[in-house]
């Protein structure tokens, strides 16, 4: 009986000390550098605990037929590891994830699995609004025209 009370007391203390979860939304624009620079746009929705976070991200890169660069759409589920709080308004993070892609161009279409790894920084602007700078390296499975893509973006991030 005594050990059950101690266990309940410890559980209650841990729940009271747990860090609150924070959610955020990001709308972004940037450049996909593979095989030529093309515009990319998208959004991300995330949930963060103190150091660990999870996000879903969708991006759409325009095709450039003249350069032989296919369009690329990705839907990724990512794990983020981040600094627990901002220092001088800066919060750094690293991320990795898996998902699906659709590469379309030159009369070919490929849909398959993909992975990504990258990192970035969230910069405090005002209240819950932050600017987000992000770099990602994508690896596409299957038979894509290009197996690896690099993307750099800037976004507006709203935390709540």
């Amino acid at each position: 009986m005594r050990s059950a009370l101690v266990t309940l007391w410890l559980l209650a203390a841990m729940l009271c000390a747990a860090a609150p979860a924070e959610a955020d939304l990001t709308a972004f624009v940037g450049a996909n550098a593979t095989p030529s620079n093309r515009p990319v746009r998208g959004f991300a929705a995330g949930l963060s605990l103190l150091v660990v976070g999870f996000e879903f991200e969708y991006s759409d890169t325009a095709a450039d037929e003249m350069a032989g660069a296919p369009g690329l759409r990705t839907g990724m589920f990512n794990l983020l590891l981040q600094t627990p709080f901002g220092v001088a308004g800066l919060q750094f993070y690293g991320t990795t994830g898996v998902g699906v892609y659709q590469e379309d161009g030159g009369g070919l279409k490929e849909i398959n699995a993909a992975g990504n790894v990258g990192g970035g920084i969230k910069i405090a602007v005002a209240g819950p609004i932050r600017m987000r700078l992000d770099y990602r390296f994508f690896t596409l499975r299957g038979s894509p025209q290009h197996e690896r893509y690099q993307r750099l973006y800037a976004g507006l991030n709203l935390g709540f």
Side-chain angles (χ1 to χ4, degrees), residues 55-127:
E55 81 174 353
F56 170 77
E57 178 194 86
Y58 171 81
S59 71
D60 184 12
T61 302
D64 183 354
E65 297 295 331
M66 297 297 288
L72 179 68
R73 288 188 184 103
T74 62
M76 308 298 286
F77 292 96
N78 299 313
L79 171 68
L80 282 85
L81 295 177
Q82 59 194 3
T83 55
F85 48 84
V87 176
L90 307 175
Q91 184 177 26
F92 298 90
Y93 64 90
T95 181
T96 186
V98 296
V100 296
Y101 75 91
Q102 175 183 322
E103 188 186 54
D104 193 1
L108 301 172
K109 182 185 274 190
E110 177 75 14
I111 299 173
N112 211 318
N116 76 81
V117 64
I121 185 170
K122 296 175 185 176
I123 304 166
V125 175

Side-chain angles (χ1 to χ4, degrees), residues 1-153:
M1 180 73 162
R2 185 178 186 103
S3 63
L5 287 174
V6 170
T7 302
L8 286 174
W9 174 252
L10 288 174
L11 181 61
M14 287 189 309
L15 289 174
C16 290
E22 294 183 14
D24 65 12
L25 297 172
T26 304
F28 62 84
V29 295
N32 187 328
T34 309
S36 65
N37 283 332
R38 292 161 297 140
V40 62
R41 64 183 184 270
F43 68 89
L47 176 67
S48 297
L49 303 170
L50 191 59
V51 174
V52 177
F54 305 94
E55 81 174 353
F56 170 77
E57 178 194 86
Y58 171 81
S59 71
D60 184 12
T61 302
D64 183 354
E65 297 295 331
M66 297 297 288
L72 179 68
R73 288 188 184 103
T74 62
M76 308 298 286
F77 292 96
N78 299 313
L79 171 68
L80 282 85
L81 295 177
Q82 59 194 3
T83 55
F85 48 84
V87 176
L90 307 175
Q91 184 177 26
F92 298 90
Y93 64 90
T95 181
T96 186
V98 296
V100 296
Y101 75 91
Q102 175 183 322
E103 188 186 54
D104 193 1
L108 301 172
K109 182 185 274 190
E110 177 75 14
I111 299 173
N112 211 318
N116 76 81
V117 64
I121 185 170
K122 296 175 185 176
I123 304 166
V125 175
I129 299 172
R130 298 180 287 191
M131 182 174 159
R132 183 171 169 180
L133 302 175
D134 187 284
Y135 169 79
R136 301 281 169 108
F137 181 79
F138 291 84
T139 303
L140 309 184
R141 306 285 186 234
S143 301
Q145 294 178 44
H146 302 279
E147 291 182 6
R148 291 178 172 67
Y149 281 87
Q150 295 181 60
R151 183 187 75 201
L152 180 65
Y153 78 68

